[in-house]
Amino acid sequence: MPDLTQAQAEMRWAYWHGAFGVLASAMVWGLATGTAAWGRPQQAVWTLLIAGMFIFPVSMLLAKLAGRPGLHPKTNPLGRLATLSTVGLMAGCLLALGVATKKLEWFFPTMLLVIGLRYLAFVRVYGLKLYAVCGVSLATAGLVLGAVLAQPSAELQAVATVLGAVTGTLIEVLFGALLLAQGRAPREG
């Protein structure tokens, strides 16, 4: 079994620091933003949830196109942590969907919080503190947006879905670009 530093280096190499996953997620947030802006808020919720199921396959494909394996060695113990964080993400999606049945405009703030918390596991998976900054940024944005939406304002409620979706898009584009730049480094070890 590899040591932690070696296991993290394998994960960084295989997935280009996870940059393609974050960028694929940003694309999903962007689709949800467009759906929220030009469709109905309920459609934006389902766009994020359904398109979100394709983030990992798309990120694997992008990593392979960039010359990386797109898969980690089966012996890497950090793969289990990544999988467990996905289970937590699915539970969070169900929570956000439940919240949306009561207050639709709180779906995206809840998802910002859920996805932000998931990225905290990636600090360990990839050994990159940038995931802590990304996760805290997303979670904080979700909490702030949720607090703002708790105020009775018809104008705010009308733009809440678009605001939540565009916030996720912008934060993930920024951190995806930073991770992409970091991942350009030659293979470690």
Side-chain angles (χ1 to χ4, degrees):
M1 174 168 25
D3 70 5
L4 178 61
T5 304
Q6 181 185 347
Q8 289 170 331
E10 286 176 355
M11 296 299 273
R12 285 191 298 272
W13 179 255
Y15 300 108
W16 198 299
H17 287 60
F20 294 121
V22 176
L23 291 170
S25 183
M27 286 188 267
V28 169
W29 280 98
L31 286 171
T33 299
T35 304
W38 291 288
R40 293 191 333 230
Q42 294 87 351
Q43 293 170 328
V45 166
W46 289 108
T47 298
L48 188 75
L49 292 174
I50 293 169
M53 293 188 286
F54 297 96
I55 291 171
F56 185 64
V58 168
S59 69
M60 287 175 47
L61 175 64
L62 292 173
K64 287 180 181 191
L65 290 173
R68 301 289 173 90
L71 285 172
H72 58 277
K74 292 183 190 287
T75 57
N76 191 314
L78 295 172
R80 287 187 292 276
L81 176 57
T83 300
L84 287 173
S85 75
T86 302
V87 172
L89 173 64
M90 287 187 265
C93 289
L94 290 173
L95 173 68
L97 198 52
V99 166
T101 64
K102 299 297 178 195
K103 263 187 118 48
L104 183 64
E105 62 271 12
W106 284 11
F107 174 79
F108 285 103
T110 304
M111 286 303 298
L112 287 166
L113 180 62
V114 166
I115 293 169
L117 293 175
R118 182 190 190 211
Y119 280 148
L120 296 181
F122 288 178
V123 173
R124 184 72 161 187
V125 170
Y126 292 106
L128 298 172
K129 292 179 180 150
L130 187 56
Y131 277 104
V133 179
C134 179
V136 168
S137 297
L138 286 164
T140 301
L143 290 171
V144 168
L145 186 56
V148 169
L149 291 175
Q151 307 305 315
S153 165
E155 297 83 19
L156 201 51
Q157 305 301 324
V159 298
T161 305
V162 175
L163 184 59
V166 79
T167 300
T169 304
L170 294 175
I171 291 172
E172 288 204 321
V173 164
L174 170 66
F175 284 98
L178 292 172
L179 288 162
L180 193 62
Q182 275 189 355
R184 291 188 185 277
R187 185 168 188 166
E188 307 163 38

